Amino acid sequence: MRKDSSPASVPGKLFLCFETKPLVATLLALTLVMVIWNLQPYYENLISTTSRCSAASAASTTIATGNVSILPITSPSSSSISEKKVSTPKASSKSNADPNKRLFSAYGKAASLFVLMGAYRGGPRTFAVVGLASKPLHVYGRPWYKCEWVSSNGTALLRAKAFKMLPDWGYGRVYTVVVVNCTFPENPNLDNAGGKLDLRAYYGESPRKFEKFTVLEEQPGSYDESKYRPPYQYEYLYCGSSLYGNLSAARIREWMAYHAWFFGPKSHFVFHDAGGVSPAVRAALAPWVRAGWATIQDIRGQAEFDGYYYNQFLVVNDCLHRYRHSANWTFYFDVDEYIYLPDGRTLESVLEEFSDYTQFTIEQNPMSSMLCLNDSSRNYSREWGFEKLQFRDSRTRIRRDRKYAIQAKNAYSTGVHMSENVIGKTLHKTETKIRYYHYHNSISINGEPCRELLPLSAKNNVTWFDKLPYVYDDNMTKVADTVKQFERNAIGSIQVLQ
C-alpha cells in the first residue's frame, strides 16, 4: 500500500518529468567529451584506461560531431600523437634497469655523408665523382669510398677502391669538397653494353656501415672512345666560379665581349649562377648563349649546403671534370679580371711555349675601380669600364693572388688559384708573357664607376690615393674600340642597363 505524501514543489515536478535514462546517457557522454577536451595532453593515457562502455560512448560522440578534429589549444609546444611518434628517439623507448647507465638519443642529421653534384667518365678506365661531405667527418674520422660497375646485361660486376681528394685547402665549413677518383683495371664498359657506376660511401674505417648509390649510368652503345683524345671541340674553355650578389650587367657585357675577342671563335664560357645572374645579367649574356659561345648553369641549390664562398671549390671541380676533354686549355679567373698579353704577343704563341707544362699561373695587375682622369674631352657615360679605369696599383714585392690555366686532361682535381693534383709540371714565372688586369669589386658597382677624378697631370706622376700609389696604365683602353667592333660583328648591337 503506497504511503501518501505532501504535494511536491514545482522544481521537483520538473525534475521528475525529465528524470529519464536518455538524459543520464546524454549527460555522461557530454561529461566524457569535456574531460577529453580539457585533458588533451593525457588523451592517449585516458583512452587506454577507459572502460569498454566509455569507449563506446566516445565513439558515438565522435560520429555525432562528424569529421571535426579535436586539436590542442593549450600551448605551442603541445604536439599531436603522430608528431610524438616521429620525434621520439628509439633509445627512450627502451627500459633502463640500471640507473647509472646513461642513454644517448640522436635527433636528425647535421650534415650528409655525401652530396652528389656530378659524376663523369674521364677516360676508358677512369671516372670522377664530385660532391660535398661532412667536413668534421673527414677531419676527425676516416671515411673512404669504393666503386662498383654493374653491367646492364649482368655479365660484369667490377670493383675498384677509390682515391679521394679534398681540394678546398681546408676552407670548407660544414661541408668540404670531395672528388673521388675511380680507376678500374680495364674499361668496365668495353663491350659497350651499358651499365651503371655505384659508389659506396663508408662512415668510417669499418666496412660494415656504408651508403650505396648510383652516380652515373651509360646507355648501351653510348661509349665513344674518340671523345677522350684530341682533337677536342674547343681550343679554350672558361670555367667560372659561383656568380652571386648584385652584379653589374654592363660590366658582365664588357667582360664577355672582351674575352670572346681575346680567346676567339674556338672557345666556350661556362658560368655558374649562384644567385648573381639577375634578369639584366641574363639579358647581357643571352646573345652569346644563343650564338653557342656561352652556357649558364643554375647552381642556386648549393645554398642548402654550407661550403666555402658559395661552394666555389665544388663548382670549379665539377666544371673541370664535366668539360675535361672538351678543350686543350681550361682557364680559371673571375668576371672582374681581364687576361692580357703584353708586347703584342699572341695567345697561340704563348701557349705553345707552355705546352710542356700541365698548368701555369698568371700574375695580376691590380687596378683601381674608382679612379679616372678628369678629361673634359671624353664622354665617360659612353665608355666601358676597362676603357676608363686607367690607374694601376704600383706596389711591388708583395704577394698577390694569381689565376691559372690548366690542361684538364692531366688534372685529377683543382682549386681556385691552382691545382695540387696534377700529372706534370707547373709554371709560375709567366709575368712577361701573360698577365691579368684585376678591377677589384668593379663588378658590384651598378652605375658610373668613375667616382674620383684625377687631374691630367696624373698621367705622368704617381698618385697617392687611400695611402696607395697609382700610376697611369692605358693598355686596356687601346683595345676598347676593337672589342666593341668585334661585339657588333659577333652578336649585333645590344643595349644593356648600367
Side-chain angles (χ1 to χ4, degrees):
M1 183 176 186
R2 184 171 64 87
K3 184 177 179 181
D4 293 335
S5 61
S6 59
S9 61
V10 174
K13 291 180 180 180
L14 291 174
F15 179 82
L16 291 174
C17 293
F18 291 94
E19 189 177 3
T20 61
K21 291 182 179 180
L23 178 60
V24 173
T26 302
L27 288 175
L28 287 174
L30 289 175
T31 301
L32 181 59
V33 170
M34 292 303 295
V35 169
I36 296 174
W37 180 269
N38 289 285
L39 299 178
Q40 184 67 24
Y42 310 101
Y43 178 75
E44 190 172 2
N45 292 334
L46 180 65
I47 292 299
S48 64
T49 57
T50 304
S51 64
R52 185 181 303 272
C53 180
S54 299
S57 300
S60 63
T61 304
T62 305
I63 294 173
T65 56
N67 294 326
V68 178
S69 299
I70 300 176
L71 300 176
I73 58 173
T74 51
S75 67
S77 61
S78 299
S79 59
S80 66
I81 297 173
S82 60
E83 288 174 336
K84 288 180 181 178
K85 290 180 179 178
V86 169
S87 61
T88 300
K90 294 181 180 180
S92 64
S93 62
K94 298 178 181 179
S95 60
N96 188 5
D98 185 355
N100 293 320
K101 180 178 175 60
R102 306 299 301 275
L103 301 179
F104 297 89
S105 304
Y107 296 86
K109 293 182 179 179
S112 299
L113 178 64
F114 196 87
V115 179
L116 176 67
M117 183 175 184
Y120 310 98
R121 180 185 273 273
R125 299 187 301 118
T126 185
F127 299 81
V129 184
V130 183
L132 297 168
S134 166
K135 181 177 179 179
L137 183 64
H138 282 266
V139 171
Y140 301 106
R142 293 186 178 179
W144 54 289
Y145 303 92
K146 184 183 290 185
C147 307
E148 294 182 354
W149 178 269
V150 182
S151 177
S152 295
N153 56 19
T155 59
L157 175 60
L158 298 179
R159 292 187 175 93
K161 186 173 181 180
F163 174 71
K164 74 170 185 179
M165 291 157 281
L166 308 179
D168 61 5
W169 299 356
Y171 284 117
R173 292 164 57 86
V174 175
Y175 286 95
T176 188
V177 178
V178 180
V179 177
V180 180
N181 175 270
C182 303
T183 300
F184 292 90
E186 61 182 12
N187 186 349
N189 191 23
L190 188 60
D191 59 358
N192 217 345
K196 63 179 183 177
L197 178 66
D198 291 339
L199 185 70
R200 291 193 181 199
Y202 293 84
Y203 287 87
E205 293 182 347
S206 172
R208 296 182 179 180
K209 190 176 181 182
F210 63 91
E211 303 293 338
K212 179 180 175 181
F213 46 93
T214 299
V215 296
L216 180 146
E217 293 190 36
E218 285 186 349
Q219 298 300 318
S222 63
Y223 173 70
D224 183 0
E225 189 172 345
S226 66
K227 293 180 179 179
Y228 308 104
R229 59 176 182 262
Y232 299 126
Q233 183 177 5
Y234 306 110
E235 288 289 336
Y236 316 111
L237 183 83
Y238 168 76
C239 279
S241 291
S242 307
L243 295 179
Y244 58 90
N246 185 20
L247 304 182
S248 167
R251 301 291 86 81
I252 291 290
R253 174 259 187 111
E254 297 160 7
W255 184 97
M256 181 66 215
Y258 175 87
H259 286 99
W261 166 79
F262 180 86
F263 286 115
K266 291 210 69 178
S267 60
H268 193 75
F269 299 81
V270 182
F271 298 95
H272 296 92
D273 175 19
V277 180
S278 64
V281 170
R282 188 172 295 275
L285 292 174
W288 299 102
V289 173
R290 288 194 296 268
W293 287 77
T295 297
I296 304 175
Q297 295 187 355
D298 184 349
I299 61 161
R300 299 190 182 202
Q302 60 78 34
E304 184 178 346
F305 308 100
D306 185 12
Y308 178 76
Y309 250 93
Y310 299 83
N311 283 303
Q312 61 175 335
F313 280 94
L314 173 68
V315 168
V316 296
N317 275 281
D318 182 83
C319 191
L320 172 79
H321 288 288
R322 187 181 185 90
Y323 296 96
R324 188 181 188 193
H325 295 282
S326 296
N328 292 319
W329 288 95
T330 300
F331 283 76
Y332 290 92
F333 57 101
D334 293 328
V335 289
D336 59 357
E337 299 166 345
Y338 290 69
I339 307 296
Y340 175 77
L341 299 172
D343 301 327
R345 297 176 182 272
T346 64
L347 184 59
E348 292 78 6
S349 64
V350 170
L351 295 183
E352 179 62 29
E353 291 185 49
F354 298 165
S355 60
D356 291 336
Y357 295 88
T358 290
Q359 66 177 339
F360 62 89
T361 60
I362 310 171
E363 188 171 315
Q364 69 167 288
N365 289 334
M367 302 294 289
S368 169
S369 296
M370 60 190 308
L371 297 179
C372 298
L373 279 176
N374 189 4
D375 188 347
S376 59
S377 66
R378 298 170 65 174
N379 184 358
Y380 282 146
S381 64
R382 299 181 64 86
E383 291 188 10
W384 285 8
F386 68 81
E387 183 179 4
K388 54 193 173 185
L389 294 170
Q390 299 172 306
F391 287 90
R392 172 171 51 84
D393 182 345
S394 61
R395 290 177 296 167
T396 59
R397 297 182 180 179
I398 63 173
R399 182 190 178 280
R400 303 184 189 277
D401 287 339
R402 301 172 74 97
K403 296 303 165 69
Y404 70 105
I406 195 168
Q407 296 192 58
K409 63 184 179 182
N410 294 329
Y412 291 108
S413 66
T414 197
V416 174
H417 298 290
M418 64 175 289
S419 171
E420 292 184 333
N421 300 99
V422 297
I423 301 172
K425 300 180 295 183
T426 297
L427 178 65
H428 294 294
K429 196 169 182 58
T430 61
E431 56 272 14
T432 62
K433 308 291 179 63
I434 186 170
R435 303 178 72 96
Y436 72 93
Y437 281 88
H438 186 194
Y439 301 87
H440 185 58
N441 283 337
S442 63
I443 195 66
S444 300
I445 300 170
N446 288 277
E448 179 55 59
C450 293
R451 289 159 290 164
E452 293 287 341
L453 299 179
L454 303 180
L456 293 178
S457 60
K459 295 175 68 173
N460 303 312
N461 298 295
V462 176
T463 299
W464 286 85
F465 182 78
D466 284 346
K467 300 181 179 180
L468 298 178
Y470 289 91
V471 296
Y472 182 74
D473 186 335
D474 64 348
N475 285 326
M476 295 294 290
T477 305
K478 295 174 182 178
V479 300
D481 288 339
T482 302
V483 173
K484 292 176 183 179
Q485 184 59 50
F486 169 81
E487 181 194 58
R488 286 190 291 269
N489 294 339
I491 60 172
S493 299
I494 63 173
Q495 294 293 327
V496 177
L497 298 175
Q498 290 288 331

